[in-house]
């Protein structure tokens, strides 16, 4: 999915092929290739600018360092393409990395994980994937809470998914999402569950009613984690969406879905830089096992091709 971006980095490297020195001029030429491909891949303009500025600064720093080495009369030769690519790799990683743990666990009582996002982003699927991940990889006992009363099929969908992975699903027919979420804690205690995943309602666009409902759930259940589910296919819009949710809910992380598709990949690079909320997990397919912890290093390598 990173074909466009990878092409830009490869073109940049080709421009520097055979050159034994990084100069301001050849750095500019290489950066132009990268810039074009990042924009083509739907990376936010502000993110493109910030990224290029950092790569340029590092690359220029490298020319100074190499020159300083050569002052004793020896000739210092570098493979300009490799040096440039290494700088890009490191900066890509820096752009996507975040400190701290991906999940915050509660000191006492069940840990809350609230899932939010626009309709169709993959929220319900990701809730089930997350539950499976917690169960299999972290040996937890999750409870899924079906609180998406907006999309008629969402409750049934979660019930089916929960059954397929052997995770209980809680819902109170006819109750409000806030009520359902508030009562889930008792259910978790009764069932011996140590993590509660709240699948909340999405809308087709951010609106006040949605945000108020989510804010009310947040206040009521005080979850340790709020993950925004973002569809990687929606490109630059993904970033604006993330910012809207983050401003209102103070997200702890982002789950980027549909990375198996033919999205151009811009969202993966932009989200953390624009919102401050890092990508923590990625969805790589429709199956409940297609869920992975996000690895900036692996992603940077994929991007560089
Ligand atoms: P919600 O409205 O946000 O709850 O979205 P759903 O969980 O129902 O997902 C919407 C569609 O996207 C469904 O057809 C899912 O199977 C699909 N989907 C979700 N995550 C992924 C993913 O990582 N890769 C692919 N290819 N499809 C996904």
């Amino acid at each position: 999915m990173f074909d466009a971006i990878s092409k830009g980095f490869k073109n940049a490297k080709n421009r520097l092929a055979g050159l034994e020195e990084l100069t301001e001029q050849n750095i500019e030429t290489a950066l132009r290739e990268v810039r074009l491909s990042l924009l083509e891949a739907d990376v936010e303009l502000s993110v493109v600018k910030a990224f290029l500025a950092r790569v340029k600064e590092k690359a220029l720093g490298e020319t100074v360092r190499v020159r300083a080495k050569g002052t004793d009369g020896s000739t210092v030769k570098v493979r300009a393409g490799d040096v440039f690519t290494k700088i890009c790799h490191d900066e890509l990683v820096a752009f996507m990395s975040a400190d701290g743990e991906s999940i915050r666990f509660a000191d006492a009582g069940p840990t809350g994980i609230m899932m939010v996002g626009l309709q169709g982003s993959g929220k319900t699927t990701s809730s089930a994937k997350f539950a499976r991940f917690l169960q299999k990889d972290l040996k937890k006992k999750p409870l899924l809470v079906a609180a998406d009363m907006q999309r008629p099929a969402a409750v049934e969908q979660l019930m089916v998914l929960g059954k397929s992975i052997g995770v209980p699903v809680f819902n109170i027919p006819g109750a409000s999402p806030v009520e359902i979420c508030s009562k889930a804690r008792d259910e978790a205690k009764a069932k011996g569950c140590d993590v509660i995943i709240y699948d909340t309602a999405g809308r087709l666009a951010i609106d006040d009613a949605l945000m108020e409902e989510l804010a009310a759930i947040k206040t009521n259940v005080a979850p340790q984690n709020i993950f925004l589910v973002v569809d990687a296919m929606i490109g630059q819009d993904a970033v604006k969406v993330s910012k809207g949710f983050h401003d209102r809910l103070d997200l702890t992380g982002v789950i980027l879905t549909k990375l198996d598709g033919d999205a151009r990949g811009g969202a993966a690079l932009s989200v953390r830089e624009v919102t401050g909320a890092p990508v923590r997990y990625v969805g790589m397919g429709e199956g409940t096992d297609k869920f992975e912890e996000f690895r900036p290093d692996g992603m940077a390598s994929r991007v560089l091709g």
Side-chain angles (χ1 to χ4, degrees):
M1 72 176 281
F2 291 110
D3 291 357
I5 307 185
S6 301
K7 202 174 108 214
F9 282 112
K10 275 191 200 125
N11 287 346
K13 196 175 172 187
N14 287 340
R15 293 257 182 195
L16 301 172
L19 302 179
E20 292 175 338
E21 196 186 4
L22 275 175
T23 63
E24 190 157 355
Q25 207 174 12
N26 64 28
I27 291 169
E28 284 295 347
T29 310
L31 286 174
R32 252 197 304 278
E33 295 284 356
V34 175
R35 178 188 160 88
L36 274 176
S37 66
L38 290 177
L39 289 174
E40 202 180 309
D42 247 357
V43 180
E44 265 260 335
L45 182 62
S46 62
V47 176
V48 174
K49 283 186 175 161
F51 177 76
L52 294 178
R54 285 189 221 170
V55 171
K56 186 174 173 178
E57 190 192 329
K58 281 263 179 80
L60 288 174
E62 194 62 20
T63 64
V64 172
R65 197 181 65 79
V66 168
R67 259 184 234 128
K69 257 191 175 175
T71 48
D72 60 354
S74 62
T75 348
V76 180
K77 289 182 178 173
V78 295
R79 292 164 70 97
D82 290 347
V83 174
F84 184 80
T85 301
K86 167 87 172 59
I87 292 171
C88 289
H89 181 275
D90 292 349
E91 286 309 304
L92 280 173
V93 173
F95 249 75
M96 296 184 283
S97 299
D99 295 336
E101 298 295 322
S102 297
I103 308 176
R104 300 172 186 169
F105 287 103
D107 294 334
T111 295
I113 299 177
M114 189 173 160
M115 305 284 277
V116 302
L118 297 182
Q119 201 170 307
S121 60
K123 193 168 31 57
T124 301
T125 315
S126 299
S127 298
K129 288 175 173 179
F130 211 158
R132 186 184 183 278
F133 171 81
L134 285 159
Q135 190 183 41
K136 283 223 145 195
D137 293 29
L138 305 185
K139 310 295 172 213
K140 298 286 177 188
K141 269 201 81 179
L143 172 71
L144 281 162
V145 180
D148 180 355
M149 309 299 271
Q150 197 67 27
R151 188 162 61 84
V155 175
E156 180 61 24
Q157 185 188 346
L158 196 62
M159 297 273 181
V160 171
L161 288 170
K163 202 164 175 200
S164 76
I165 53 173
V167 170
V169 179
F170 178 67
N171 177 258
I172 308 171
S176 75
V178 174
E179 195 183 340
I180 295 169
C181 292
S182 305
K183 296 210 164 129
R185 221 178 145 81
D186 291 339
E187 178 78 2
K189 279 190 189 144
K191 287 209 152 67
C193 296
D194 49 16
V195 182
I196 308 175
I197 302 173
Y198 304 91
D199 179 24
T200 65
R203 301 281 196 281
L204 293 174
I206 295 182
D207 61 48
D208 281 346
L210 167 70
M211 284 302 174
E212 267 162 37
E213 180 179 305
L214 297 176
I217 293 174
K218 179 183 173 181
T219 307
N220 269 274
V221 305
Q224 286 74 21
N225 308 271
I226 305 182
F227 283 100
L228 175 70
V229 180
V230 176
D231 179 343
M233 313 277 263
I234 65 171
Q236 290 205 28
D237 287 345
V239 175
K240 291 193 195 99
V241 167
S242 313
K243 193 163 164 38
F245 277 93
H246 194 43
D247 289 349
R248 194 72 186 266
L249 295 168
D250 204 6
L251 306 168
T252 59
V254 171
I255 296 172
L256 205 55
T257 63
K258 310 185 193 181
L259 271 183
D260 52 309
D262 57 1
R264 284 162 291 179
L269 300 187
S270 310
V271 165
R272 215 258 354 231
E273 185 69 13
V274 174
T275 66
V279 178
R280 293 295 197 179
Y281 298 95
V282 291
M284 306 290 293
E286 293 191 72
T288 47
D289 58 340
K290 302 284 189 262
F291 187 80
E292 295 170 12
E293 204 145 351
F294 178 64
R295 303 203 186 289
D297 196 60
M299 187 64 85
S301 300
R302 270 181 72 187
V303 167
L304 286 170

